């Protein structure tokens, strides 16, 4: 049973940084790829970044490219999202997701497993 647990959300001021972490458990993730998404009230779930569990270069949405960085730690079984220069429009619930394929995916329908989400609020 795959379990994903996000942590690290909170309330920050515009311009600040936050680091979200996703702890993955339940099986080997060697053949998996991982993604981060967010969802603001009244909006669709939005792709942010994805990375293969075995590493390599992350792929980013244009809205966060240059500000967010996805990384994974195979020893700790975690996938992190470093968020810099946060803006009020980054306010949302942030979700970690996993899919049992190495090919990166950009839409939420292609992910099989989800965490419970962590709230990020950026004040102006």
């Amino acid at each position: 049973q795959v379990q994903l647990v996000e942590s690290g959300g909170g309330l920050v001021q515009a311009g600040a940084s936050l680091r979200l972490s996703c702890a993955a458990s339940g099986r080997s993730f060697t053949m998996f790829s991982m993604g981060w998404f967010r969802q603001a009230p009244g909006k669709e779930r939005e792709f942010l970044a994805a990375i293969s569990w075995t590493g390599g270069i992350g792929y980013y949405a244009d809205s966060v490219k240059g500000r967010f960085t996805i990384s994974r730690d195979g020893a700790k079984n975690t996938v992190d999202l470093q968020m810099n220069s946060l803006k009020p429009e980054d306010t949302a619930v942030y979700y970690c997701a996993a899919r049992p394929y190495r090919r990166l995916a950009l839409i939420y329908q292609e992910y099989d497993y989800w965490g419970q989400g962590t709230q990020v609020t950026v004040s102006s």
Side-chain angles (χ1 to χ4, degrees), residues 10-95:
L11 170 63
V12 297
Q13 290 190 329
S17 298
L18 273 178
R19 189 176 185 89
L20 306 182
S21 188
C22 172
S25 63
R27 60 164 297 163
S28 170
F29 290 89
T30 304
M31 299 300 292
F32 276 57
S33 56
M34 309 294 291
W36 280 96
F37 290 75
R38 68 186 178 191
Q39 189 164 19
K43 294 189 176 182
E44 281 203 355
R45 194 161 294 195
E46 177 190 10
F47 167 79
L48 300 175
I51 193 169
S52 167
W53 186 262
T54 54
I57 299 173
Y59 185 86
Y60 300 90
D62 288 343
S63 59
V64 303
K65 196 176 296 182
R67 296 191 300 128
F68 291 9
T69 303
I70 190 171
S71 62
R72 102 283 178 265
D73 187 325
K76 296 181 180 179
N77 262 22
T78 56
V79 177
D80 291 354
L81 187 69
Q82 176 67 41
M83 307 187 296
N84 300 327
S85 303
L86 284 164
K87 307 173 183 179
E89 50 264 44
D90 293 319
T91 295
V93 177
Y94 283 67
Y95 297 92

